């Protein structure tokens, strides 16, 4: 063990205690600021959050949806099988 005097050990302990006290005070101040900021955010979201979700349109999400959407022509919708006019695909044999 190093040859330290009692006075040196006490001085180191005081330095460490002061550093600890300073860090603890800073920590408590930060927790207080965090709590206030969180309360403000919760109050804002409670008051305006739902409205913002319904009104704000995300341009990136809209662009992605546009790229993924499949477009169909009127003919494809009317004749999904693609084997001729829609009227011909109707079974009229029961009427005859």
């Amino acid at each position: 063990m190093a040859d330290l005097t009692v006075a040196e050990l006490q001085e180191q302990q005081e330095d460490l205690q002061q550093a600890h006290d300073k860090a603890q005070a800073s920590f408590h101040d930060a927790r207080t600021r965090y709590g206030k900021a969180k309360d403000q955010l919760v109050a804002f979201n409670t008051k305006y959050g739902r409205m913002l979700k319904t009104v704000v349109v995300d341009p990136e999400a809209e662009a992605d949806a546009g790229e993924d959407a499949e477009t169909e022509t009127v003919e494809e919708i009317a004749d999904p099988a693609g084997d001729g006019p829609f009227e011909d695909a109707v079974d009229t044999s029961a009427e005859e």
Side-chain angles (χ1 to χ4, degrees):
M1 193 167 167
D3 293 328
L4 296 173
T5 64
V6 172
E8 291 172 336
L9 291 174
Q10 287 176 331
E11 185 179 329
Q12 284 181 358
Q13 183 185 29
E14 286 177 21
D15 291 343
L16 291 172
Q17 185 66 48
Q18 287 175 358
H20 173 267
D21 293 345
K22 183 179 177 184
Q24 188 175 25
S26 176
F27 170 73
H28 287 293
D29 290 342
R31 282 185 59 174
T32 302
R33 287 191 313 270
Y34 164 78
K36 288 178 183 177
K38 181 180 178 184
D39 290 344
Q40 289 173 345
L41 178 62
V42 168
F44 181 87
N45 284 340
T46 300
K47 188 171 185 178
Y48 300 111
R50 187 177 304 149
M51 184 268 308
L52 285 173
K53 285 182 181 179
T54 59
V55 173
V56 175
V57 177
D58 184 8
E60 290 180 13
E62 201 171 75
D64 291 343
E67 291 172 5
D68 294 341
E70 294 182 17
T71 56
E72 295 180 308
T73 64
V74 174
E75 292 80 18
E76 290 172 332
I77 294 171
D79 184 21
D83 54 4
F86 185 73
E87 291 80 23
D88 293 344
V90 176
D91 184 17
T92 57
S93 60
E95 295 174 5
E96 296 174 6

